[in-house]
Amino acid sequence: MEYFNITNQHLLIEVLQSWNGLSLEKLFRERWKAPKKLVHEWRMSKELMLNGNSVPWSTVLTEGDTISIPLLDDAEKENVKAADLGISILYEDDVLLVANKPAGMDTHPSQPGDANSLINGVAYHLQHTGQTCMIKHIHRLDKDTTGAVLFAKNRLIGSILDRMLEEREIKRTYLALVEGIIKNDQGEIKEKIGRDRHHATRRRVSPTGQTAVTHYRVLNRDSKKNLTFVSCTLESGRTHQIRVHFSHLQHPLAGDTLYGGRRTFPRQALHARKIEFTHPISEQKMTIEAPFIDSPEIFNVHLL
């Protein structure tokens, strides 16, 4: 076993050296910060095992020990309809995966019965590969934004990743083409974002909105086409954040007609290029990149 795997609907985890001296209780409550309800459920069921035995939660862990966590309820509660949508899986192990979302596709169903979203395509991949597990998206991308989306395959990993996202321990890097030539090589956009009262789906910069910070770096400038190629990271994850912030700077994303951009491309030129995080179980540094998947291409001709 290499740190963890799934066997007979149990997640088997090998205790790492960095967990030496921790009790089961401290591993779940302090290291992983697992939800109290979930921990209580496992305590009551007495199905959680250490080296094949049911032990008190005060038991101290030693490197090489094996923790067995039951996952049957996760599979039973799964209710995502599978659909063959040709989704590309960028990374996968027994507890999580990263998929490359195409343009024109929601991250999850927008209405009951819809089966054309990314999560439906990921559910098909799991079904096709014989995996009977739940699937949960940790974050979302706009319908016409492409790129990396992180998914969890069980409730424990889902809760850990949710907390990591909230505590900004998951870094996402976006690439965008914006209209006009940005003079500064890098910058920070720090403007609150709220709903636009005059438009159902649009957001706007608003003093009463939610705090939002976008950091950007210029990668290239195309004076002939009057476009700037930028890399962005977010300190927050507000709806349409990058689109709203660059529109506010009078540099709307190319193709983003909702926020003042010209119809240069069939969609807004925004791609979630990279996702970085520490794996919740192995604690290894993960860096996963999503290749461009537009046809015809939007970004490649603007790369340095």
Side-chain angles (χ1 to χ4, degrees):
M1 181 174 69
E2 188 176 351
Y3 297 119
F4 58 91
N5 62 38
I6 303 291
T7 303
N8 297 325
Q9 288 303 319
H10 281 72
L11 171 59
L12 303 181
I13 300 174
E14 185 177 302
V15 172
L16 305 179
Q17 184 180 23
S18 59
W19 304 347
N20 262 336
L22 290 178
S23 65
L24 268 174
E25 181 90 31
K26 285 195 172 183
L27 176 66
F28 278 82
R29 290 192 183 279
E30 297 179 17
R31 191 82 171 199
W32 288 338
K33 299 178 184 175
K36 292 180 181 178
K37 182 180 178 182
L38 205 49
V39 172
H40 178 73
E41 192 177 310
W42 283 321
R43 291 186 81 140
M44 291 299 99
S45 72
K46 299 188 186 305
E47 289 184 61
L48 190 142
M49 303 282 185
L50 183 66
N51 299 326
N53 301 306
S54 180
V55 298
W57 280 64
S58 58
T59 303
V60 174
L61 302 172
T62 302
E63 181 183 3
D65 284 349
T66 299
I67 303 169
S68 173
I69 304 172
L71 300 176
L72 277 172
D73 284 351
D74 289 345
E76 289 168 2
K77 291 180 180 179
E78 183 49 42
N79 193 30
V80 177
K81 188 175 180 181
D84 185 2
L85 304 175
I87 301 301
S88 172
I89 305 300
L90 303 172
Y91 170 83
E92 181 176 20
D93 60 38
D94 281 347
V95 298
L96 58 85
L97 66 78
V98 179
N100 197 358
K101 191 183 86 64
M105 180 181 288
D106 288 317
T107 302
H108 61 91
S110 55
Q111 56 190 15
D114 178 18
N116 294 307
S117 72
L118 181 65
I119 198 168
N120 299 111
V122 171
Y124 175 84
H125 163 77
L126 295 177
Q127 184 185 85
H128 190 65
T129 51
Q131 301 179 66
T132 54
C133 59
M134 63 163 270
I135 191 67
K136 172 190 175 180
H137 61 85
I138 302 303
H139 58 99
R140 291 179 287 183
L141 293 178
D142 295 343
K143 185 172 184 175
D144 284 330
T145 298
T146 55
V149 178
L150 176 61
F151 290 85
K153 293 185 181 182
N154 63 66
R155 289 182 294 165
L156 173 63
I157 300 304
S159 68
I160 295 173
L161 292 175
D162 280 344
R163 190 259 307 161
M164 288 172 64
L165 185 71
E166 188 176 329
E167 296 179 0
R168 300 174 187 169
E169 294 176 13
I170 298 175
K171 181 183 178 183
R172 290 173 285 163
T173 302
Y174 296 81
L175 297 179
L177 281 166
V178 305
E179 294 188 359
I181 303 300
I182 297 178
K183 294 179 181 178
N184 296 333
D185 288 340
Q186 58 186 25
E188 174 186 275
I189 311 169
K190 196 172 184 179
E191 299 286 350
K192 292 182 177 180
I193 293 175
R195 290 184 176 275
D196 187 330
R197 290 174 295 176
H198 307 292
H199 196 288
T201 58
R202 195 162 51 197
R203 300 297 194 273
R204 65 185 181 91
V205 165
S206 167
T208 59
Q210 295 177 299
T211 300
V213 181
T214 301
H215 300 276
Y216 70 86
R217 182 167 56 92
V218 171
L219 301 177
N220 201 3
R221 298 176 177 92
D222 187 336
S223 55
K224 289 184 179 179
K225 295 186 177 179
N226 196 35
L227 295 172
T228 303
F229 187 39
V230 296
S231 171
C232 309
T233 58
L234 312 180
E235 283 188 25
S236 44
R238 309 304 176 201
T239 300
H240 299 178
Q241 180 171 324
I242 293 172
R243 301 165 65 187
V244 172
H245 272 172
F246 279 99
S247 178
H248 180 72
L249 289 188
Q250 306 301 313
H251 290 287
L253 269 61
D256 193 1
T257 55
L258 183 63
Y259 290 102
R262 292 170 295 162
R263 200 176 290 279
T264 314
F265 303 112
R267 66 176 186 92
Q268 72 264 9
L270 183 61
H271 177 70
R273 178 62 161 183
K274 184 167 61 174
I275 187 164
E276 300 168 86
F277 59 96
T278 299
H279 196 287
I281 301 298
S282 71
E283 297 187 355
Q284 294 177 332
K285 177 68 177 176
M286 308 294 294
T287 301
I288 298 142
E289 292 198 10
F292 299 121
I293 49 178
D294 289 287
S295 182
E297 294 176 348
I298 288 178
F299 292 95
N300 287 358
V301 293
H302 297 276
L303 288 172
L304 287 174

